[in-house]
Amino acid sequence: MKQMNTRLKKGFTLIEVVIALAVFAFLIGGLLGFLPWSVEGVSKVREQDTAYGLVDGIQIELERMGFSLVGAGTHRLAGMYSAFDSPRESGTKLDLLLVARRSGGQVAFEQVVEEASLAEMNSDQLEEGANQDLLTKETGGVVYFNLTENQEPVSLVGFDDSQKEIYPYSTRWIPEEERYFLIKCSQFPLEHRHQHHPSNGFLALQVDVQWPYKVPDPSSDGGFRRIPMKYRNHFRLPMAITR
């Protein structure tokens, strides 16, 4: 009887403990391996939700800018007002760029650029394309993109240092290193069912929300770095504004 009680009181052997710890470490190591993927996945979902939430802000900013400015800033077709000419693709196609912070919310008009091919957008560029100051319309008149004739800012490119702190301009200012979302607006191409025509009471746009656009980089001269197109996420949608 005494011998039986002694056998019942025996614990795990050293080999059994080592094997148990090895199995436990193997399982925990496998689970921890999924942790970075989980964190990255949550971050991507959060940013995608923010991109979806920018839709209302984009519409509001385009309406604030007005039909004339948006139409000129997304100029694509020529020969629209000639009775003796058919509409054709213009030699200079423009993209209108809006930006927003990583947290979403405010959307602001950054600039108008000449449409550039992907081959021209290398990682060393700080700009998305060649900035445009104005457009002379076929019917006459000029639309200013950066500064009005009175030197008041229209786009973020037109801001000087003092205006960044002066109301009401300061409410629109977003520092370059905080322009995480890029919203690229362009007109539909020729022969597309949504191509623009002067008789339309609306202007249909292709809207491409891209991120990350610019991120902080203390080592660069401007304090930010532009992320090349091939590394960005995209969320595309059609949108329209009325006259």
Side-chain angles (χ1 to χ4, degrees):
M1 187 69 178
K2 186 175 181 181
Q3 184 179 2
M4 184 179 296
N5 289 338
T6 303
R7 293 180 62 185
L8 289 175
K9 290 179 181 179
K10 285 184 177 180
F12 294 106
T13 65
L14 179 60
I15 294 178
E16 290 172 331
V17 172
V18 170
I19 293 174
L21 289 175
V23 172
F24 179 76
F26 176 78
L27 293 175
I28 292 298
L31 292 175
L32 291 177
F34 288 105
L35 187 59
W37 293 94
S38 301
V39 173
E40 184 180 359
V42 170
S43 177
K44 285 185 176 180
V45 170
R46 184 184 297 114
E47 290 179 351
Q48 193 169 43
D49 286 344
T50 303
Y52 294 160
L54 291 174
V55 173
D56 287 341
I58 296 169
Q59 185 76 52
I60 290 171
E61 180 66 0
L62 292 174
E63 295 287 354
R64 182 197 68 79
M65 294 168 62
F67 190 94
S68 178
L69 177 55
V70 175
T74 56
H75 174 75
R76 186 183 186 98
L77 304 178
M80 302 292 288
Y81 297 91
S82 174
F84 308 99
D85 195 6
S86 299
R88 63 185 184 280
E89 291 281 349
S90 173
T92 302
K93 304 180 187 69
L94 303 181
D95 289 330
L96 187 149
L97 308 184
L98 309 176
V99 291
R101 290 182 171 89
R102 189 169 190 170
S103 58
Q106 177 191 6
V107 174
F109 170 37
E110 184 187 48
Q111 61 180 318
V112 171
V113 298
E114 184 175 353
E115 184 182 75
S117 66
L118 293 179
E120 297 172 336
M121 295 184 183
N122 57 62
S123 58
D124 297 328
Q125 288 179 232
L126 293 181
E127 298 296 338
E128 195 71 10
N131 177 262
Q132 305 295 301
D133 287 322
L134 54 85
L135 175 74
T136 302
K137 298 191 292 185
E138 292 182 37
T139 55
V142 175
V143 178
Y144 296 95
F145 297 137
N146 297 323
L147 290 168
T148 66
E149 292 181 283
N150 298 326
Q151 298 301 298
E152 293 183 354
V154 179
S155 68
L156 296 182
V157 170
F159 276 65
D160 61 30
D161 291 337
S162 63
Q163 290 166 331
K164 298 173 186 178
E165 307 294 334
I166 298 175
Y167 181 85
Y169 307 119
S170 58
T171 60
R172 291 167 44 207
W173 176 249
I174 299 177
E176 292 221 52
E177 66 274 11
E178 296 181 19
R179 299 174 192 177
Y180 191 77
F181 287 96
L182 169 69
I183 302 101
K184 184 175 291 187
C185 305
S186 58
Q187 292 185 24
F188 286 90
L190 188 67
E191 304 300 336
H192 192 281
R193 65 192 183 98
H194 292 315
Q195 79 167 64
H196 180 56
H197 191 275
S199 63
N200 293 344
F202 65 92
L203 174 63
L205 298 171
Q206 304 175 95
V207 177
D208 184 6
V209 183
Q210 307 174 13
W211 72 95
Y213 172 41
K214 294 177 181 177
V215 296
D217 184 1
S219 64
S220 65
D221 294 336
F224 71 94
R225 176 166 48 91
R226 174 185 162 276
I227 305 300
M229 172 81 73
K230 62 182 178 180
Y231 298 121
R232 299 179 196 165
N233 298 295
H234 295 261
F235 162 48
R236 298 179 176 91
L237 72 155
M239 190 171 285
I241 62 170
T242 57
R243 290 185 184 274

